[in-house]
Amino acid sequence: MFNSFFKFSQNKLAYLYNNSTILANIDWIILPLIFAVFICSMFLPSETLGVLAFGVIFFTFIKFLVKPNERIEFQNFEVWLIAYFMIVLISLFGSTLFGLSLKGFFKTFIYIGFYFSVVQYLKAHKNHIACFLGLIALCVSTEFVIGFMQSFLHLDAISTWQDTSRLNPEDVLSRVYGSLKPYNPNLFGGYLVSAFPTVLGALFYFINKRYYKLAVLAGGVSLLGVYTIFQTGCRGAYLALMLIFACVFVLSAKFFWQMYKKLYITVITTMLSLFIAAITLVNSIRLRFLSIFAMRNDSSNSFRFNVYHSAIEMFKDNWILGIGVGNKNFREIYGLYMKTGFDALSAYNIYLEIAVESGIFALIAFLGFLISLIKKSVEFIKKSTDIEGVICVSVSLVAILGVLFHGIVDTIFFRPQIQFVFWTYVAVISVFVSKNKQNNIV
């Protein structure tokens, strides 16, 4: 249906396309806008990022209308994604707070529209994928430096970010928050772990290309990144970082196990030892990490448990279509269920958040999308002989898994800084696993 409409439009506007320099080079408008989204995510507010992303979507739509033979093809996991989007749309019209839900729905439209725009661009310019991941790596490396500098400034907390009631003053971690807006160490930690795999990917890419000086640089930036993530004090980021290293250990064995078994084990053991040492020897980080297991004895944990309980009750009362998408909508409805003094902006779990906002069927569709995506990625990594392609897909898969794991205990996933890199990873995977692109599969 979509392609029939686009073909009709392309035929009618063929003269306009053939006689317009701007339309013939529209990808050179789309590319800077995509890059601007990544770069501006570091310091501009969400509203501005949304405008830039909408520009990407708008010009991609124009390209569909005028460029000959431009068409859209859906893969299996994208069908699940479309189903999720349609269920969210139905939930919008079923919401009792339509105005607030409409704002949340528009954000969802921006994110998914940005994804399909990036996919369409990368399918036509597959050689730019490394540039996309490289730019994300440069952005997060800049944030590593900013966080590193902040860690020595002993910043005053600008919000009640951690329970210090049982800590000595010298054991309180001065949590860094980077330059992302709004300033929040949990958002900063989530962004760092979402983009950190691109730096690790650069390390493997440079090793594969035998650019050993650049590989050493990437390794140094990776260590700086680990330090900065620890300094965020974001416990969800700690857990996500552990998962990222576990995934890197498993995936990198494809390249190094047979020929460099001893070296491989040495490197992995060293990295694991450094990770454990950071947690055990640095008192402020050790206490912050152990607070994960303090359950109700930590006020932050206790707050989350109260939110989970109330959110589950919200889901029980609205399990088919949910309450409508959006954090503002959530906050209004949550007021009817919350315990006194425990206001919340979200469910602090992305899966529970989706279920509450859009119902059980939206959650099923979203999980179907994730499972199908992960399955396709693993198949490509196992069978492909394209080393650079495997690195790109591995980076994207590991980053996605890190974000999803972090999402069990927080909902910073829905922030635009993380959404845009997340959907870029999905787009990278989509391009490589596309049936008409798998010439290197054996």
Side-chain angles (χ1 to χ4, degrees):
M1 180 181 69
F2 294 108
N3 289 326
S4 298
F5 169 74
F6 292 139
K7 186 176 181 179
F8 173 80
S9 175
Q10 290 161 13
N11 290 335
K12 293 295 184 181
L13 299 175
Y15 176 83
L16 182 62
Y17 177 81
N18 292 329
N19 292 274
S20 172
T21 303
I22 294 177
L23 293 178
N25 296 278
I26 197 168
D27 280 346
W28 291 106
I29 299 176
I30 296 172
L31 179 61
L33 284 173
I34 295 174
F35 281 4
V37 170
F38 298 146
I39 296 171
C40 294
S41 291
M42 298 168 56
F43 54 86
L44 290 183
S46 302
E47 294 77 9
T48 306
L49 299 179
V51 172
L52 291 172
F54 183 78
V56 174
I57 298 168
F58 174 77
F59 285 108
T60 300
F61 181 69
I62 295 298
K63 184 172 71 170
F64 271 116
L65 292 179
V66 301
K67 187 175 181 179
N69 301 319
E70 198 74 16
R71 55 188 288 113
I72 189 167
E73 296 177 353
F74 297 116
Q75 299 191 64
N76 291 338
F77 60 84
E78 291 172 334
V79 173
W80 282 104
L81 182 60
I82 293 298
Y84 165 74
F85 180 77
M86 296 307 296
I87 295 170
V88 171
L89 177 61
I90 296 172
S91 175
L92 165 66
F93 288 101
S95 175
T96 55
L97 297 174
F98 180 82
L100 294 178
S101 295
L102 184 62
K103 294 180 180 179
F105 173 79
F106 186 70
K107 293 179 182 179
T108 303
F109 169 79
I110 290 290
Y111 297 146
I112 296 180
F114 180 82
Y115 160 68
F116 281 109
S117 299
V118 174
V119 166
Q120 205 63 27
Y121 179 87
L122 291 180
K123 282 182 178 179
H125 306 277
K126 190 176 178 181
N127 59 316
H128 288 178
I129 289 177
C131 296
F132 275 55
L133 297 179
L135 179 59
I136 295 173
L138 286 174
C139 290
V140 76
S141 297
T142 303
E143 289 295 339
F144 289 157
V145 174
I146 293 173
F148 177 77
M149 294 173 64
Q150 288 179 342
S151 69
F152 290 98
L153 297 176
H154 300 291
L155 304 171
D156 294 330
I158 58 177
S159 179
T160 53
W161 287 337
Q162 58 182 320
D163 185 354
T164 60
S165 60
R166 294 177 175 83
L167 298 177
N168 293 323
E170 62 270 16
D171 292 331
V172 176
L173 182 65
S174 180
R175 302 179 64 183
V176 302
Y177 46 80
S179 63
L180 276 63
K181 302 290 182 64
Y183 296 136
N184 185 308
N186 287 341
L187 170 60
F188 189 49
Y191 175 78
L192 295 185
V193 296
S194 71
F196 178 61
T198 60
V199 180
L200 294 177
L203 171 61
F204 287 104
Y205 177 84
F206 293 140
I207 292 175
N208 180 60
K209 289 289 189 179
R210 292 183 171 82
Y211 300 153
Y212 296 118
K213 292 182 179 179
L214 291 175
V216 171
L217 177 61
V221 174
S222 298
L223 293 176
L224 178 64
V226 173
Y227 171 84
T228 307
I229 291 171
F230 278 133
Q231 290 299 314
T232 65
C234 178
R235 297 171 297 176
Y238 292 174
L239 297 175
L241 186 63
M242 293 172 65
L243 178 67
I244 286 172
F245 279 128
C247 291
V248 170
F249 171 76
V250 173
L251 294 175
S252 60
K254 175 182 173 76
F255 305 102
F256 300 111
W257 184 256
Q258 292 183 347
M259 297 182 62
Y260 306 102
K261 183 177 179 179
K262 292 183 178 179
L263 177 62
Y264 178 71
I265 293 176
T266 300
V267 172
I268 294 299
T269 302
T270 301
M271 293 178 65
L272 182 62
S273 299
L274 290 172
F275 186 89
I276 294 174
I279 293 178
T280 57
L281 299 180
V282 182
N283 208 37
S284 58
I285 295 178
R286 177 175 60 83
L287 293 174
R288 184 62 179 164
F289 182 81
L290 291 177
S291 69
I292 296 174
F293 311 101
M295 306 305 285
R296 286 283 184 178
N297 290 325
D298 181 87
S299 63
S300 180
N301 294 348
S302 183
F303 169 75
R304 277 172 166 75
F305 291 143
N306 288 328
V307 174
Y308 294 153
H309 178 269
S310 298
I312 290 172
E313 294 301 315
M314 293 169 66
F315 170 69
K316 288 180 180 179
D317 291 342
N318 305 274
W319 67 275
I320 297 179
L321 292 178
I323 62 173
V325 69
N327 63 305
K328 292 184 179 180
N329 187 61
F330 179 94
R331 189 173 188 177
E332 289 294 325
I333 303 296
Y334 181 80
L336 303 175
Y337 293 83
M338 73 176 185
K339 293 186 177 182
T340 303
F342 289 93
D343 189 17
L345 296 175
S346 65
Y348 288 95
N349 179 293
I350 62 175
Y351 311 100
L352 182 56
E353 182 87 13
I354 291 172
V356 169
E357 291 185 352
S358 304
I360 186 64
F361 299 109
L363 178 61
I364 291 172
F366 187 74
L367 292 176
F369 157 71
L370 294 177
I371 293 170
S372 180
L373 174 70
I374 293 169
K375 181 180 177 182
K376 286 280 189 181
S377 303
V378 172
E379 288 176 354
F380 180 89
I381 293 168
K382 289 172 61 178
K383 298 178 180 180
S384 178
T385 58
D386 176 10
I387 302 301
E388 292 184 16
V390 169
I391 291 174
C392 290
V393 172
S394 298
V395 165
S396 301
L397 176 61
V398 170
I400 287 170
L401 292 175
V403 170
L404 295 175
F405 194 59
H406 187 186
I408 296 175
V409 293
D410 210 333
T411 47
I412 47 84
F413 169 75
F414 296 106
R415 297 297 304 179
Q417 294 90 339
I418 296 173
Q419 281 282 303
F420 291 131
V421 295
F422 176 88
W423 291 113
T424 300
Y425 295 140
V426 178
V428 169
I429 293 173
S430 178
V431 172
F432 277 107
V433 304
S434 180
K435 291 181 179 179
N436 60 351
K437 295 288 185 181
Q438 292 191 15
N439 298 323
N440 294 311
I441 297 293
V442 295

